[in-house]
Structures are given as C-alpha cells and as structure tokens.
Amino acid sequence: MKLKAIFALAAAALALPVAGADPALAQGEQFYPALVYRTGAYAPNGIPFANGIADYLALVNERDGGVNGVKFVIEECEFGYATDKGVECYERLKGKGSTGAAVITPLSTGVTFALTEKAPIDKIPLLTMGYGRSESADGSVFTWNFPLLGTYWSAADILIQHVAKKGSLKGKKIVLVYHDSPYGKEPIPVLQDHAKTYGYTFEAIPVTSPGVEQKAVWLQIRQGRPDYVFLWGWGVMNSTSIKEAAAVNYPRDKMYGVWWSGAEPDVLPAGDGSKGYNALALHPAGTVYEVHKDVLKYLHERGKGARREDVGSVLYNRGLINAMLVVEAIRTAQGKFGNKPMTGEQTRWGFENLNLTAARIKDLGMDGLVSPIKVSCADHEGARKARIHQWDGKQWVYTTEWIEADTKYLRPKMEAAAKAYAEEKKITPRDCSKPQS
Amino acid sequence: MGPFIEVVLGGLLAGVLYSLVALGFVLIFKASGVFNFAQGAMVLFAALSLARLMSDELTVAHYLGAAAVLGLAVGYGVVAAWRRLGPASAPGPRVGWGVIAAFALIGVAVAASFGVRGWPGWVAIPAAAAIMGLLAVAIERLVLRPLVNQEPIILFMATIGIAFFIDGFGQTIWGSGIYNLPLGIPKDPMFLLESVFDGGILVNKLDIFAAAIAGVLVAVLAVFFQKTRIGRALRAVADDHQAAQSVGIPLNQIWIIVWTVAGFVALVAGIVWGSALGVQFSIALVALKALPVLILGGFTSVPGAIIGGLIIGMGEKLAEVYLGPTLGGGIENWFAYMLALVVLLFRPQGLFGERIIERI
C-alpha cells in the first residue's frame, strides 16, 4: 500500500508541472495544432516546412504581439507522414486550447483524405495549401476544405500547358512517375483527359513509398524513351528519381516535378546530376523579402528562431506562406467575431472570406513571395497559378512567368467529382449564389 | 535482347546491395542465433556517423566525442596486441585502462586542434567503425547480457527495441536530413556493347563498385568463420550458449565481437547504400529488403545471402519491368516476398540454410 502511495505521489508530482506547462490551457491565446514530421523518411522535407510555420507564428507574436492582441501557442505532434499517426495526432490536439483547434494543416494528402470526413463533424477547417483532394476546391460540397493556391489538377493542367507551348504534343509520349498513394494518383485523371485532347500517349508508373527503389522504373523509362517525365514524388523519392534519371542518362531538362518535387532536399543529393531539372513553383525561394528580414531580426538574432539554415529554402517559405494564410484567416474572422481566439467554425468563415490583395500582401512583407488570393463559398482554391523553376546547380531560377490553370476545363470536372462525392456521402451542397452567414 | 540483358544485369547488381545488408543479419544469426531486427538501423547509424563526421556542419562536441571513441578503440587495440605479442611484459588492468584513456585523450586533443572541420575519409571511416564497436559493447552490456540463455524470441524482441532506439538516437545526434558521402565513389553510367545493341547496355559504375566490395567482404568473412579460432568459437556459441560456456568460450566477448563485425558490415553497406541514395532515414527501411533474401538464401549461410540477394534482385526487377505494366506497376516489393515464399514451399530451410532436425 505504501509503495502504491509513493508511486501515486510520484506520478502526481510528475504530472503537475506538465499540466501546468500545457501551452494550450492559457485563456486568450490562439491554439495552433501543428502536425509535423521531423523524423523518419520524409523528415528532410517536413522539417523546413514545420520551421517556416513555427517561425511565422512566433514572428507574429514577437513583432505584433499576436494577431489583434491574440498570441499564438503552438503544440507540435510528430506523425512521421504516417496517415494513421496523423489522425491520432489530430484526435489528440483537436480539443486543446481555449477554443479547440481552429485549423488543421496536415501536410499529407493521406491524412487530408482521412480527415475530410471528420472535419465537418468536429467543425475544424482543413488548410491544404497546394495539396489534398482536388475536387475539394468546390466549397459548396467541401465546406471545411481549403486547398488554397492550387490543387493537383491545376498543377497537372499547368504542366501540360507549359510543355504544349514548347511544341505540339501530338504523337509525343509523357510518363508520370508517381508516389503510390492518394497524393501521387491525383493528377492521373487530368493527364489522361489531356492525352485525348492534345494527342499524346500517357503512361503512369507507380513507385512504392518511400521510393528508394526505382531502378526498374527508370530502366523502363530508358527503354520507352518518353518525351517528358512528370514527377509526383515526395521526400526521398524525388532525389532518388533524379539520381536514377542521371544513372540512365535521361535528360533532366525533360523532367518536370510538381511543386512538392521542387525543393532543395530533392535536388541537392544528386549533385550535378540535378542540373536542368524543372519543377512547378507556387512561390520563390530566397530571403530577399521583407518578411525574412523581420524573421531574422525579431527571431534569429534574438535566438528565438527555428533552424537558421532553413530560412529562405523552398519549403521553409511555403511554411511561412501557410502560416500567413492561417493568421490572415483568423484576422478576417476576428473582423466579424471580435478580437479574441477564434473557434474552428469562425476560422472557417475567415478562410472563406479571405481576400489578400497585392497591397495587403505588400503590407505583410510578402510582395513577390505570394500572389493575390481571393476565396469564396464556391471557390476554395482562391488562386491557381504557378511558375516553372529550374535548378541551375546552385539555386532555383524561374524560367517562365505565371501560368494559370484552365478553369473552363477544370471547374466542370471538379464540380462533377464533388457532386459524386456529395451523393456518395449524402451531403447537401450549399447554394453559393446565396449570401452565406 | 539488349533491354532484357540490361534488366537482368541491373537486377543482379541491385541484388548485390541487398546481399550486403543480408550479410549483417546472417553474421549475428549464425553466431548467436538471434535475428537482429536492428541491422537496418545499424546501417543507417553507421552511414550517418560517417557522413556527418565528413561534413563541416557539426558542433565541436560531435568531433571531440567521435575522436574520443576512436582513441578508445585504438588504445584498446594497442593494449590487446601488447597482451598477445608480449604476455610477459603485458600491463595489468589498471595500466591497460590508463593506456586506453591516454589514447582517448590524444584523440580529443588532436580533434580540438582541428576545430569544426569535416574529417577526411581515412579518419572518418575508422572513427565510424569505432563508434559501431562502442555500440556493440553497449548492446552486449545493456541488452544481451541480462538476457543470456533466454528464448530466441525474447532476444528478437529486444533487437526490435534496439532498432527503435538506434533510429531515434542516430537522428537526434547526427540530424535527420539527407547527407552526401563525399568518398569519391564513381556513379556515372557506362554503356557497354554499343555496337551490338541499340543504345548499348547500361551499367552503373557504383553497382560495379558495390559488387567488388561485396566480393571482398564475403572472402574476408569466409576466412574469418572457417579459418580463425574466433570464427569457430562463434559457430560453437551459435549452436548452444550453455555448452559453449561450459567448454570455456567467453560468451560476452563473443557477442561483442560478432556485433562489432556486424557493425562493420553495416558500415560497409551504409557506405554503398549511402553513396547510391544519400545518407538518410530510408536506408534503415531498405534493410527490410534483406528479409526475402534471407528467407531465400537461408539464415545461416554467407553464400546464401549472396546468391539469395542476386536472385531476389534479378527476379524483382524482371517482374517489375515485364509483369509490372500488366499488374498495375509497383510490384517489386511484394514480388520479392512471393519469390521467397515459393522457395519456402520446397525448401523450408532456404536454398543454403542448415537443415535442423530436432528430436522432441
């Protein structure tokens, strides 16, 4: 009995400081649940993204005293890019903080697919900037999903537009090397559709996660000699693809990656073998923007930043933009609901009414880093533009201007897919022509 | 015909890489009857240690720590050689430890004079090997010794724990990015018989290099197991822990030796895999590729690991290229296991495994 009592006391003593230190318990603060992967096969890509988010929210706290006086409190949950663990993290964090989770940014299409059905029940919006379900851009059905700045269907369309400009695609061959997961399969319907329209032959070759075994894939590519190879990889799969392409002498300038296959960890491991490799870019890399000066001044020079070497990398900048969208959605929501921590439902309203003009982006110190975005009930994508950048051996260099996805083709396709989803899940779509509360 | 030869050759050379990892498993299983689930984690840890020591991006504590470990290993080697070559003048335990500590201090002093600077390969490789040796000692002291004479399944479970620990520990100490191994191993493609086949037959220089390394390693291991006293002791321990102890074989030392040797094999595999893929976490997962190789080749056979690796490598690449398009692609991972299972149906002990008949 005595022993039990000692154990109970010890457990209580251990638990007390932990409970006291729980960041999410503080009133008047906005809780941000960060699903991150800082370990495992995808860590090289997960770390800079997570650090970008952490730095931006810390910057808003340090520089501005929070958003309208409401400071952010972050709690990270490591899920190693595993869908089951990601859902577990979501369940663990969704109820924390004074308002519960106001938004979830999973950085995983698998987790996004899994949470798409949970989000409406828990009333937490899903911000999936540049990833997630493509048809979730239709906000009338996917009330809680926000694939801001571009879906995979938009990405596939932009890539085809770009290569078609280089010369007719009739009789050409395009191969998609994709991560064998919901993420990798997303562009296939668009590339198949376009094959009929543009007259190219299309082949999709899956690569099993994590994607370090690609010898057979690239031997097939060497034998098939496609005119272009599109890469829909993530993490180590990207660098392996570029290395294998170099190993079979496939020209890197004929390779085009999606925006998740166009960061520094994707090209650096292959060294000179990456020269000439192209990828879509939602935004540039670099530290020449005002926001970076602030990040360095308010955080890193004071020893409060995340990892210094990440600042300015492609995925770090994407994390910054991701966090900026969260902050601005909350700011927008505060305009209607008052300057206090926002609930998930209120933040969802903020996302749906988000309107970042060029002037506002300049005020945020992100002029040139992100393009204007306007979200609405019907359009949860907000913007669908990208540029192509090419790795010159040392840095990413833009080779095109902004290319916009063809909404005339994509919108009906998205609406049809969203309608099918609504019928399957028995969802009554909202009428976006009417004013939304 | 050209493409077919290319796939076969590519598969065989990929198989060599699998064999390199499988060898580590075989060594520990052969000598201790333990299926070491942590072999993949050891490959990653060894490669991370080497790659990071060769980079300039660590803190001074990393270099000093690694130098101390290298000094310890050199000191231990000197004392051991001294005892063997001149037993009469051999130092007692206290002097022996003093010599070892002195070498560790020398290592630290030399590293401190260099400061934060990446080490050249000829220093970093022995340092990584010494780190693997220290890891082996730690595993023996903290995990295996308390579990001596337990059921093999208990030891297997313990190695699962070791794998998780090493994965996390390695990433905590060395980082979890993708790191290059600047060892100058050639990676360019070569095109053979271009006059015979259109476009020639593609062979990667790195694969040839890996094949040569594997060849040398197998020869060294074969001599070690068959011709040396320690090798025979290892085999005796594998047969029966208690019986080996009763005839005076020091079980603890044997385990340290075998885990150290497996650590060296992990380092070699890490060098080759790391050169091919970059040193990063997935290397630990690639090691699972060794499982079908072991099922096929047998858990106790060094030649089995090599032949098994070659068959699995060739089989899965042929399947992916020629069956993959019909079956939707991405089949090479499960095909390797299916191939191994088919072999199990006919030869439960694997192609080269020992057939053990137990009377019950």
Side-chain angles (χ1 to χ4, degrees):
Chain A
M1 195 62 201
K2 251 185 184 175
L3 202 64
K4 261 189 186 173
I6 290 169
F7 271 122
L9 268 177
L14 280 172
L16 261 179
V18 174
D22 188 341
L25 286 182
Q27 292 290 321
E29 289 179 328
Q30 184 75 55
F31 176 62
Y32 178 81
L35 270 61
V36 299
Y37 32 103
R38 293 181 181 274
T39 61
Y42 297 91
N45 297 57
I47 291 171
F49 186 84
N51 285 345
I53 289 183
D55 270 2
Y56 191 81
L57 296 183
L59 175 68
V60 170
N61 284 350
E62 286 289 316
R63 185 191 58 188
D64 312 333
V67 52
N68 290 322
V70 178
K71 285 199 173 187
F72 283 93
V73 179
I74 305 184
E75 183 170 336
E76 291 197 345
C77 183
E78 169 70 41
F79 75 103
Y81 197 61
T83 299
D84 53 343
K85 285 189 192 159
V87 174
E88 196 184 315
C89 280
Y90 166 81
E91 292 293 345
R92 196 184 304 163
L93 297 180
K94 71 180 183 188
K96 286 205 167 183
S98 56
T99 58
V103 58
I104 292 280
T105 54
L107 193 60
S108 152
T109 298
V111 174
T112 306
F113 269 61
L115 294 186
T116 294
E117 288 181 36
K118 287 176 177 280
I121 299 164
D122 296 328
K123 300 200 181 307
I124 301 171
L126 285 174
L127 170 59
T128 59
M129 189 189 107
Y131 61 96
R133 296 184 83 108
S134 297
E135 66 266 40
S136 66
D138 183 347
S140 68
V141 173
F142 294 90
T143 311
W144 297 88
N145 293 56
F146 292 90
L148 301 182
L149 291 177
T151 65
Y152 293 132
W153 287 1
S154 298
D157 182 71
I158 292 168
L159 277 182
I160 292 294
Q161 282 188 46
H162 173 68
V163 293
K165 271 186 211 149
K166 291 176 166 278
S168 168
L169 292 179
K170 205 163 184 60
K172 297 258 170 80
K173 184 174 182 181
I174 295 178
V175 166
L176 170 73
V177 175
Y178 69 95
H179 193 267
D180 199 2
S181 65
Y183 152 59
K185 290 172 186 164
E186 274 287 305
I188 294 175
V190 170
L191 295 173
Q192 282 171 335
D193 276 1
H194 280 335
K196 289 174 208 148
T197 323
Y198 286 85
Y200 61 83
T201 51
F202 172 65
E203 193 186 342
I205 307 181
V207 173
T208 312
S209 175
V212 287
E213 302 245 13
Q214 297 184 36
K215 196 182 264 276
V217 170
W218 287 90
L219 283 175
Q220 286 176 77
I221 287 173
R222 173 171 142 77
Q223 287 162 21
R225 293 176 192 173
D227 296 281
Y228 297 106
V229 170
F230 291 174
L231 183 60
W232 234 264
W234 183 225
V236 68
M237 173 183 160
N238 290 329
S239 54
T240 309
S241 287
I242 298 170
K243 282 186 171 188
E244 291 287 354
V248 301
N249 248 5
Y250 185 82
R252 260 69 76 211
D253 59 353
K254 300 278 182 194
M255 289 177 72
Y256 289 87
V258 67
W259 43 64
W260 298 110
S261 303
E264 292 82 358
D266 305 324
V267 286
L268 287 174
D272 277 349
S274 301
K275 248 186 215 172
Y277 169 75
N278 307 285
L280 283 171
L282 283 172
H283 56 80
T287 55
V288 296
Y289 306 95
E290 288 301 318
V291 67
H292 292 99
K293 289 176 192 158
D294 283 352
V295 163
L296 295 175
K297 183 177 155 194
Y298 287 95
L299 301 179
H300 290 268
E301 283 171 16
R302 299 179 185 178
K304 292 179 176 173
R307 208 166 58 168
R308 175 68 183 84
E309 64 260 36
D310 288 333
V311 179
S313 68
V314 170
L315 290 168
Y316 177 89
N317 284 0
R318 196 161 300 163
L320 280 185
I321 295 169
N322 199 100
M324 179 274 286
L325 292 170
V326 169
V327 172
E328 292 314 303
I330 286 172
R331 198 189 303 278
T332 307
Q334 283 177 338
K336 179 178 163 81
F337 301 104
N339 295 342
K340 57 184 181 183
M342 292 290 103
T343 63
E345 214 163 357
Q346 291 164 337
T347 310
R348 194 207 73 78
W349 188 91
F351 274 118
E352 199 160 273
N353 291 277
L354 190 64
N355 182 11
L356 292 179
T357 60
R360 177 68 189 138
I361 288 168
K362 195 170 181 189
D363 286 346
L364 293 168
M366 291 199 176
D367 192 19
L369 190 62
V370 62
S371 46
I373 176 168
K374 187 175 185 335
V375 190
S376 67
C377 165
D379 177 18
H380 275 198
E381 197 175 1
R384 43 189 65 76
K385 291 192 286 187
R387 294 172 81 171
I388 306 285
H389 61 186
Q390 189 172 47
W391 183 252
D392 71 357
K394 286 189 180 134
Q395 59 182 349
W396 291 102
V397 181
Y398 276 140
T399 54
T400 68
E401 284 307 312
W402 290 99
I403 306 170
E404 185 148 19
D406 177 9
T407 25
K408 269 189 204 154
Y409 155 68
L410 285 175
R411 190 70 207 174
K413 190 173 174 66
M414 278 178 193
E415 282 173 3
K419 196 177 161 206
Y421 180 86
E423 279 167 9
E424 189 195 329
K425 304 288 177 192
K426 301 196 172 32
I427 298 168
T428 313
R430 294 184 293 163
D431 184 356
C432 285
S433 60
K434 289 181 183 164
Q436 302 292 313
S437 59
Chain B
M1 193 61 191
F4 178 78
I5 296 174
E6 200 170 273
V7 175
V8 169
L9 215 55
L12 287 174
L13 291 169
V16 171
L17 291 176
Y18 302 154
S19 304
L20 272 179
V21 185
L23 272 178
F25 283 96
V26 167
L27 276 179
I28 291 186
F29 192 83
K30 206 171 152 70
S32 61
V34 178
F35 181 79
N36 176 25
F37 193 80
Q39 189 65 30
M42 284 166 67
V43 173
L44 171 65
F45 188 71
L48 265 180
S49 306
L50 176 59
R52 297 300 275 152
L53 284 174
M54 293 180 78
S55 78
D56 300 329
E57 298 150 1
L58 297 171
T59 64
V60 79
H62 284 99
Y63 298 108
L64 297 188
V69 174
L70 181 58
L72 274 179
V74 173
Y76 182 81
V78 168
V79 172
W82 190 356
R83 283 183 181 148
R84 173 157 285 224
L85 296 175
S89 65
R94 195 172 285 180
V95 178
W97 280 112
V99 172
I100 292 171
F103 270 96
L105 283 176
I106 292 169
V108 171
V110 173
S113 71
F114 276 97
V116 177
R117 201 193 308 164
W119 293 356
W122 59 270
V123 186
I125 291 176
I131 289 171
M132 295 314 288
L134 188 69
L135 184 72
V137 173
I139 289 173
E140 193 278 325
R141 283 280 154 90
L142 302 173
V143 184
L144 299 179
R145 193 177 287 185
L147 294 177
V148 71
N149 218 24
Q150 294 284 344
E151 292 292 319
I153 188 71
I154 305 284
L155 292 166
F156 169 65
M157 300 290 277
T159 65
I160 295 179
I162 294 172
F164 282 117
F165 175 76
I166 298 177
D167 275 348
F169 184 65
Q171 290 183 84
T172 308
I173 292 186
W174 301 117
S176 42
I178 302 180
Y179 308 106
N180 278 329
L181 265 181
L183 287 171
I185 297 171
K187 293 173 196 168
D188 315 321
M190 293 188 300
F191 298 93
L192 311 173
L193 303 172
E194 280 185 276
S195 53
V196 183
F197 301 109
D198 181 26
I201 289 173
L202 172 90
V203 180
N204 203 301
K205 281 184 191 165
L206 177 70
D207 292 335
I208 304 278
F209 174 81
I213 292 270
V216 172
L217 201 61
V218 170
V220 171
L221 289 175
V223 170
F224 177 69
F225 268 103
Q226 303 299 335
K227 305 287 177 196
T228 66
R229 206 164 54 90
I230 295 174
R232 281 195 293 274
L234 289 176
R235 282 156 54 202
V237 171
D239 277 347
D240 192 325
H241 297 173
Q242 276 180 319
Q245 268 184 317
S246 69
V247 295
I249 295 174
L251 193 59
N252 298 336
Q253 273 184 30
I254 290 295
W255 272 358
I256 290 177
I257 290 168
V258 76
W259 278 75
T260 306
V261 174
F264 292 161
V265 174
L267 177 60
V268 174
I271 289 173
V272 176
W273 275 107
S275 303
L277 301 172
V279 176
Q280 33 84 19
F281 181 79
S282 303
I283 289 183
L285 306 176
V286 170
L288 293 177
K289 265 279 149 111
L291 290 180
V293 173
L294 293 170
I295 296 170
L296 191 74
F299 281 74
T300 49
S301 167
V302 170
I306 302 296
I307 307 285
L310 295 178
I311 295 174
I312 291 284
M314 186 178 68
E316 67 174 21
K317 300 299 177 232
L318 281 173
E320 183 68 54
V321 173
Y322 293 103
L323 291 178
T326 336
L327 297 174
I331 66 168
E332 61 181 311
N333 278 333
W334 61 258
F335 189 85
Y337 283 92
M338 209 185 72
L339 203 63
L341 286 175
V342 170
V343 170
L344 272 190
L345 277 180
F346 298 100
R347 281 185 68 88
Q349 71 275 34
L351 288 177
F352 297 88
E354 286 169 29
R355 190 167 189 173
I356 300 166
I357 299 168
E358 287 190 20
R359 212 177 283 276
I360 48 171

